[in-house]
Amino acid sequence: LTLPSAKILEIITNPSDFEVFTEEGEWSSNEINAVKQKAVGIMGTEAVKRGLTTQANERTQKLMEDFLKASGFVYVEVKGTK
């Protein structure tokens, strides 16, 4: 079994999880959206740098291998694409 490589499909930010320490002036909706988009980009980059997709690939391969063996298959080879 060859599995596709894990990828980040969506990054969801919840504004209620952020705390604002200092806010000066008025922000337009475009400025607020720009800050949110920059945060999403940083989070995606950090997730990849910290090996999130690599961990997901390894975990998925192990889960599929265990599942197929538990289903009765004797010889199982699970690998991922690079």
Side-chain angles (χ1 to χ4, degrees), residues 27-46:
W27 291 61
S28 71
S29 61
N30 286 342
E31 291 169 321
I32 292 169
N33 286 333
V35 169
K36 288 179 184 178
Q37 289 303 314
K38 185 171 184 177
V40 165
I42 291 170
M43 285 185 255
T45 300
E46 280 298 311

Side-chain angles (χ1 to χ4, degrees), residues 2 11 16 26 29 40 44 57-58 65 71 75 79 82:
T2 302
I11 298 173
S16 65
E26 293 186 26
S29 61
V40 165
N57 287 332
E58 292 168 358
E65 183 178 310
S71 297
Y75 175 75
K79 59 185 177 178
K82 302 261 179 193

Side-chain angles (χ1 to χ4, degrees), residues 12-75:
I12 300 171
T13 58
N14 185 350
S16 65
D17 290 339
F18 291 92
E19 187 172 335
V20 177
F21 294 98
T22 303
E23 185 176 325
E24 297 176 4
E26 293 186 26
W27 291 61
S28 71
S29 61
N30 286 342
E31 291 169 321
I32 292 169
N33 286 333
V35 169
K36 288 179 184 178
Q37 289 303 314
K38 185 171 184 177
V40 165
I42 291 170
M43 285 185 255
T45 300
E46 280 298 311
V48 172
K49 268 186 5 186
R50 293 175 188 238
L52 184 68
T53 53
T54 301
Q55 292 173 21
N57 287 332
E58 292 168 358
R59 180 75 177 134
T60 302
Q61 287 176 13
K62 177 75 171 121
L63 285 171
M64 288 305 299
E65 183 178 310
D66 292 348
F67 171 75
L68 292 170
K69 286 182 179 178
S71 297
F73 292 92
V74 177
Y75 175 75

